Amino acid sequence: MTRMNDALTDGRRAATPYRPGRGSVMRVLRGARGFTLFELVIVICIVALFSAFLLDRLRLYQEMAEKAAMEQTAGSLRSALHLQMASLIAKGRMQDIEKLAEINPFSLLAERQGNYLGEYDAPPDGELASGSWYYDRQRREVVYLVHLRRHFVSADAAGDRVRYKVAVLYNDQLPPPLAAREVGGLSFREQAPYQWRIQ
């Protein structure tokens, strides 16, 4: 009987997990060491460098998005002008195509753009929000005010905008006055070369 009790006791001892005493835990904690001040400074510098790199890339992607949005709006205005011209041709009103160069192309869009400010005779410098469009009535130009200009370069005198103008194209077989000028189409192009130097 005592042998059986001893065997049961030994089995219980074997099944019981080892629990270190309080003294052994303190010895383990004393052996663990934390960051030194130098290591902490190195980690902070690495995190700061990665953050600066990521912020720079984010700014670059924002400029790419602005460029794409500006060019998409310009493409929509160009398409609206060509659709209006096709409508006039279909109606036999070729003589009215030249008048499209005198109107605001934004008036041809089905929906008003959220960043379109309106028409101005003399736009006030510095008072218009960047990242917006407006129509200059005196010069008959559509103007986009660039918001993010870090990589933007323009030959325009102001340097912070892109100007578009509607021009009538003619199919001149013979020089005037030998032949009447025949309208060949419309162009909607920038008035000064520009580029975003994004790599």
Side-chain angles (χ1 to χ4, degrees):
M1 188 79 167
T2 53
R3 283 183 187 172
M4 189 176 270
N5 286 341
D6 288 343
L8 285 172
T9 308
D10 288 343
R12 283 189 201 127
R13 275 192 209 129
T16 306
Y18 171 72
R19 294 191 183 97
R22 187 173 179 189
S24 61
V25 172
M26 295 304 288
R27 276 195 300 275
V28 170
L29 288 176
R30 258 189 244 120
R33 63 184 195 93
F35 281 112
T36 64
L37 183 59
F38 178 73
E39 291 170 333
L40 185 63
V41 168
I42 293 295
V43 168
I44 290 171
C45 288
I46 290 171
V47 169
L49 283 172
F50 275 118
S51 300
F53 174 75
L54 289 175
L55 286 173
D56 185 58
R57 295 307 291 177
L58 177 64
R59 193 78 167 172
L60 184 69
Y61 293 140
Q62 287 175 329
E63 282 193 64
M64 290 170 65
E66 180 181 6
K67 175 182 182 286
M70 184 201 80
E71 290 175 350
Q72 182 182 8
T73 302
S76 297
L77 295 171
R78 192 174 288 115
S79 297
L81 282 162
H82 289 154
L83 285 171
Q84 188 65 29
M85 183 183 73
S87 173
L88 291 173
I89 291 170
K91 292 174 184 173
R93 296 170 53 192
M94 291 285 292
Q95 71 280 3
D96 292 336
I97 292 177
E98 291 177 296
K99 294 177 183 173
L100 290 177
E102 301 171 8
I103 66 167
N104 178 0
F106 276 100
S107 65
L108 301 174
L109 295 179
E111 294 180 10
R112 181 186 169 99
Q113 292 283 324
N115 60 344
Y116 173 61
L117 301 175
E119 298 184 4
Y120 292 91
D121 287 321
D125 282 336
E127 293 182 23
L128 300 178
S130 61
S132 302
W133 293 87
Y134 71 89
Y135 182 72
D136 187 336
R137 277 195 289 246
Q138 287 184 349
R139 300 173 72 163
R140 290 184 181 152
E141 291 177 341
V142 173
V143 183
Y144 179 73
L145 300 170
V146 179
H147 178 59
L148 300 171
R149 299 188 293 270
R150 183 173 170 196
H151 297 95
F152 178 76
V153 178
S154 174
D156 187 80
D160 64 344
R161 59 199 66 194
V162 181
R163 298 177 180 276
Y164 291 90
K165 193 176 182 95
V166 180
V168 181
L169 304 176
Y170 296 97
N171 294 329
D172 291 335
Q173 301 299 324
L174 295 171
L178 299 176
R181 301 183 85 188
E182 179 184 307
V183 175
L186 292 171
S187 74
F188 182 72
R189 66 181 82 154
E190 63 269 8
Q191 295 303 289
Y194 75 90
Q195 67 180 44
W196 257 281
R197 292 178 178 167
I198 296 173
Q199 299 173 350

